[in-house]
Amino acid sequence: MATTAAEVLIDTISDWGVDTIFGLPGDGINGIMEALRLRQDKIRFIQVRHEEAAAFMACAYAKYTGKLGVCLATSGPGGLHLLNGLYDAKLDGQPVLAITGHHYHDLINTHSQQDVDLDKVFMDVTVYNARVMGPTHVESLADLACRAALSYRGVAHINFPIDFQSQNAQKKGSMRNVPHHTSHVFARGARLPVEDDLQRAAEILNAGKKVAILAGRGALKATDELEQLAEKLGAPIVKALLGKTSVPDDSHYTTGTIGLIGTKPSQDVIENCDTLLMVGTSFPYMEYLPKPGQARGVQIDIDPFRIGLRYPVEVGLVGDSRRTLQELLPLLKPNADRSFLEQAQSSTKQWWQLMEQRGTRNNQPMKPQVVAWELGKRLSDTAILSVDSGTVTGWWAQQIPAKRGQMHSVSGTLASMACALPYAIAAQIAYPDRQCVAFVGDGGFSMLMAEFVTCVKYRLPIKIVIIKNGTLGQIKWEQMVFLGNPEYGCELESINFAAFAQACGGVGMTIEDPAECGEILDRALATPGPVIVEAIVDPLEPPLPPKITLEQATKFAESLAKGEPNREKIALTILSDQVRQLI
C-alpha cells in the first residue's frame, strides 16, 4: 500500500496502464524517484541524458503504441527542457503526461533557487495542468491528468512540490475530499457520425467524377477501408506525412505523399480532383490543397474542431476514421469511370522509376537519395522508422517506400529537429523484438547525440543512419529558393560520428562510395547492439519539390546572382541531375 504522496502518484498512473517513464533525476523529484525505485516491477524508468529527449520519447511512445506516454523532469530548468517535445505531442495530437518537480511549497514565489512556476509555463501546451497542493490532492489530480491526456489526445501536466512528495498519504484530507472518488475509467468520445451526415457525405462522393482521398495520421488503422474506398470510387489515395503508412506505397491506389516533399502524381491528383475526402487529417499546408470552390469536400476526423479547418468542406463526419469508413462504404456506389485513378497509377509508376534512377546513381560525392533508396530496400516488413526534420525528411518521403506492417513517424506539425533518435529509443523499448531505425541529418543528430549512450546503456539494438552533408541543408535551400538570398550561417563543423559511436561503446561505420552503400547497410543492420552509420553525401544536392514554380526558380536565380558562395558547383550539380527546369 502507498504510504507517501509520490507512491500514490505512481500507483495511480500505473492503474491507467503506464508501464514506462522517460526522465532524468534531480533533487526536485527525489520523492518520485524513490517511489519508482520501490515499484520497478510495475514501471520502468528510462534514464535519458536530456529532458527534451524524454519528452520526445514520451510522444513517440504514444505514437507507436497508442498508450499514454510519460516523461519526468526536475524543477526549474529540467521542466523547461521538456517543452519542445511536449509541443511535438500537442501539435501531433498524442496523449502525454508530463510530471515535474517544484521546490518546497512554502517557498514558492519567494525568489528561491529554481523558483519557476512550471504550471504557468505549461499553460499553452496542455489540456490539463495542475499543481499538487498536498498529499491528499494527488490521487484525483493523477486520475484527471491521465483521463484528460487520453480523452483529448494532448499533454497533461502535474507539478509536484518536493516536500509533498514524501509526506504521509494516509492522513485525512479536507472535509469534502472523499478518498478514491475518482477512477481510471474514461469515455472515449464520439466514435461514429450521425446517420444524416453519412447520407449527405455519400451523396457528395457518389456525385464526384474525380474523387481524391487525402489520408493522415488518423487513418493509420484504416488501411483496408481506405483501399476498399479507393476501389469503389476509383479514387487515388494521397498521403500526408504522418499518414505515410496508412496504405503501403506498393498499393495500387496510392500516389504517395503530398506537399513540398511529396510526389508529382499526388500534386496532380489534388490539382485536378472535383471532390476531396479528407480522412484523419487537417493537413497544414493549405497551398497544396484544392483552391476553394474547385472541389466539393467531405472530412472525417475524431476532433470536431478540425472539421473545415483547412478546406471549406460541405460535410464533416466526426468519428474514428476506420469505423466511420465502415459505416460509409455501404452507402457508396461503384464508379465505373476508372480514368482518374488509372492516370494516377500510370504517373505513380513513372514517379517510382524516377526515384529508382535518382537512388541508384554512382556519382561521387554520393547522393543522399542513394542512402535512402538502399535503406528502404533493406528495412524489414515490421520495421519502425523514425525520421528527423530537415532535408532528410524529403529523402524519406520520396525515396523510402512504406511497407504494410511497418510504422514510420516524424515530428509532423512542429517539424522539430532532433526528434528521430529519441523516437527510435521509445520504439525499441516498446517493441524490443522489432527492427528500429533512426534516419537523421548531421544537424539534427548532433543536437541530442548524447542519447546514443542511452542506447548503449539499455542495450538497444537501434540502427542510426546519418545523412552527413556538413550543412543545415533544409535551411540553406530555403534561404535560396524562398528568399532569393545566398546561404549564410548553415555550414557545420564536421564530427566523426563513427568514432563517436565507438567511444560510447557502440559500433560506428562510414559510407562514402555509393557502390559500397548497400553492403555496409547490410552489415550495420545485422550487427548486434546500437550502430551509427554516417553516410557522407553531396552537400549541394537540392531537395526538389514535386513541381517547381516560377517563383521558386526566380528566387533561386536571384540567390546565385547575389553571390551564393557555391553557385558554380550548385549550377553544375543541377545540370548533371537533369533538373534544368529549376533554372
Side-chain angles (χ1 to χ4, degrees):
M1 173 180 275
T3 59
T4 68
E7 290 174 343
V8 171
L9 172 67
I10 300 306
D11 286 345
T12 303
I13 65 174
S14 176
D15 288 341
W16 281 88
V18 172
D19 56 16
T20 304
I21 294 179
F22 304 95
L24 190 64
D27 60 2
I29 52 172
N30 277 341
I32 298 172
M33 292 303 301
E34 174 62 9
L36 286 170
R37 185 187 72 83
L38 295 172
R39 285 156 173 76
Q40 296 177 59
D41 59 328
K42 296 173 66 174
I43 293 182
R44 296 173 293 182
F45 175 74
I46 304 298
Q47 180 211 71
V48 302
R49 291 303 183 103
H50 195 288
E51 291 92 350
E52 180 181 0
F56 274 133
M57 291 175 196
C59 175
Y61 198 79
K63 282 187 175 185
Y64 289 135
T65 68
K67 298 179 180 179
L68 181 64
V70 183
C71 53
L72 173 65
T74 191
S75 54
L80 294 172
H81 285 161
L82 293 175
L83 276 172
N84 195 48
L86 295 182
Y87 270 102
D88 188 40
K90 173 187 176 176
L91 296 185
D92 282 355
Q94 299 303 318
V96 167
L97 171 63
I99 303 168
T100 62
H102 208 330
H103 65 94
Y104 295 88
H105 82 280
D106 53 357
L107 291 177
I108 292 173
N109 297 330
T110 65
H111 301 285
S112 296
Q113 186 184 36
Q114 297 188 345
D115 193 2
V116 179
D117 288 339
L118 292 172
D119 50 328
K120 295 178 182 177
V121 173
F122 284 25
M123 286 176 66
D124 179 65
V125 78
T126 51
V127 295
Y128 183 82
N129 182 24
R131 180 187 294 171
V132 173
M133 303 301 288
T136 59
H137 194 205
V138 174
E139 182 183 39
S140 56
L141 285 193
D143 274 332
L144 289 171
C146 294
R147 179 179 292 113
L150 290 164
S151 298
Y152 295 108
R153 297 170 305 283
V155 177
H157 171 231
I158 295 175
N159 184 233
F160 205 154
I162 179 63
D163 50 329
F164 289 153
Q165 294 172 25
S166 299
Q167 286 185 6
N168 183 5
Q170 304 303 316
K171 68 178 184 179
K172 183 176 174 58
S174 63
M175 60 182 293
R176 298 187 66 181
N177 184 7
V178 177
H180 316 306
H181 66 273
T182 55
S183 76
H184 58 271
V185 175
F186 75 107
R188 297 178 180 270
R191 311 301 284 183
L192 288 174
V194 298
E195 184 64 29
D196 286 350
D197 287 341
L198 285 167
Q199 292 288 349
R200 289 171 55 219
E203 290 171 7
I204 292 171
L205 295 172
N206 286 332
K209 293 182 172 26
K210 297 179 178 180
V211 181
I213 302 166
L214 177 58
R217 63 178 171 86
L220 291 178
K221 295 182 179 179
T223 303
D224 293 340
E225 289 75 14
L226 285 170
E227 291 191 318
Q228 292 168 28
L229 181 75
E231 172 61 27
K232 205 163 196 179
L233 296 177
I237 301 170
V238 175
K239 300 183 292 186
L241 278 187
L242 290 177
K244 184 172 169 70
T245 56
S246 59
V247 290
D249 279 309
D250 62 1
S251 169
H252 297 301
Y253 302 104
T254 186
T255 55
T257 53
I258 186 70
L260 184 67
I261 53 177
T263 74
K264 185 177 181 296
S266 289
Q267 195 59 45
D268 288 339
V269 165
I270 293 297
E271 290 177 0
N272 293 291
C273 69
D274 62 20
T275 308
L276 176 66
L277 172 60
M278 301 174 69
V279 184
T281 184
S282 54
F283 184 71
Y285 302 102
M286 291 173 279
E287 63 270 31
Y288 292 97
L289 295 177
K291 300 294 183 290
Q294 170 196 319
R296 303 182 73 184
V298 175
Q299 184 175 355
I300 300 171
D301 205 291
I302 200 166
D303 185 353
F305 179 78
R306 293 179 178 270
I307 298 291
L309 187 63
R310 307 290 181 212
Y311 190 76
V313 298
E314 295 179 47
V315 178
L317 302 177
V318 179
D320 173 81
S321 294
R322 181 169 177 265
R323 294 188 60 194
T324 299
L325 288 177
Q326 289 172 346
E327 295 295 315
L328 182 62
L329 278 164
L331 306 177
L332 300 176
K333 300 175 182 177
N335 182 3
D337 184 356
R338 318 298 285 179
S339 58
F340 189 55
L341 175 60
E342 288 170 355
Q343 176 57 48
Q345 290 170 330
S346 176
S347 297
T348 303
K349 182 178 180 181
Q350 294 173 21
W351 174 265
W352 279 112
Q353 290 171 347
L354 176 61
M355 293 303 99
E356 182 175 11
Q357 177 187 333
R358 291 178 180 172
T360 54
R361 289 175 293 179
N362 57 8
N363 309 58
Q364 289 189 332
M366 182 170 58
K367 300 298 182 182
Q369 297 97 319
V370 173
V371 186
W373 185 258
E374 294 293 340
L375 177 62
K377 292 194 298 183
R378 288 164 170 79
L379 292 175
S380 73
D381 291 345
T382 59
I384 304 175
L385 181 64
S386 301
V387 184
D388 222 299
S389 296
T391 51
V392 69
T393 320
W395 311 135
W396 159 66
Q398 294 184 345
Q399 297 285 150
I400 299 182
K403 300 176 184 176
R404 186 180 293 269
Q406 291 180 344
M407 290 192 280
H408 294 205
S409 199
V410 67
S411 175
T413 311
L414 185 63
S416 175
M417 295 172 68
C419 67
L421 177 55
Y423 270 34
I425 290 172
Q428 195 73 81
I429 287 169
Y431 301 99
D433 297 326
R434 293 179 69 166
Q435 183 188 68
C436 295
V437 177
F439 187 57
V440 304
D442 47 355
F445 178 76
S446 61
M447 288 180 171
L448 289 174
M449 61 192 290
E451 296 305 332
F452 184 71
V453 181
T454 305
C455 303
V456 175
K457 175 183 176 71
Y458 292 101
R459 296 176 174 82
L460 303 176
I462 293 167
K463 314 309 176 197
I464 303 159
V465 179
I466 303 174
I467 300 296
K468 183 178 177 180
N469 58 10
T471 184
L472 298 172
Q474 188 71 22
I475 300 167
K476 174 175 76 176
W477 293 106
E478 286 174 348
Q479 288 175 348
M480 296 170 66
V481 176
F482 291 163
L483 298 177
N485 294 331
E487 62 181 277
Y488 181 73
C490 299
E491 295 308 303
L492 298 173
E493 187 69 19
S494 180
I495 298 173
N496 187 329
F497 294 112
F500 166 76
Q502 299 291 141
C504 292
V507 175
M509 302 179 185
T510 301
I511 309 172
E512 292 188 77
D513 186 346
E516 298 176 348
C517 184
E519 184 273 327
I520 294 176
L521 286 174
D522 280 334
R523 188 150 40 94
L525 292 171
T527 299
V531 178
I532 288 177
V533 177
E534 59 170 7
I536 301 172
V537 302
D538 186 354
L540 304 179
E541 179 68 16
L544 295 175
K547 288 188 175 182
I548 298 167
T549 67
L550 179 60
E551 181 181 6
Q552 289 169 337
T554 302
K555 293 293 187 184
F556 177 75
E558 287 177 6
S559 74
L560 297 183
K562 286 181 180 179
E564 162 58 39
N566 294 303
R567 57 186 177 274
E568 291 87 1
K569 291 180 180 179
I570 289 173
L572 287 172
T573 298
I574 291 168
L575 289 171
S576 66
D577 288 345
Q578 298 180 332
V579 289
R580 295 179 179 86
Q581 68 268 33
L582 189 62
I583 309 299

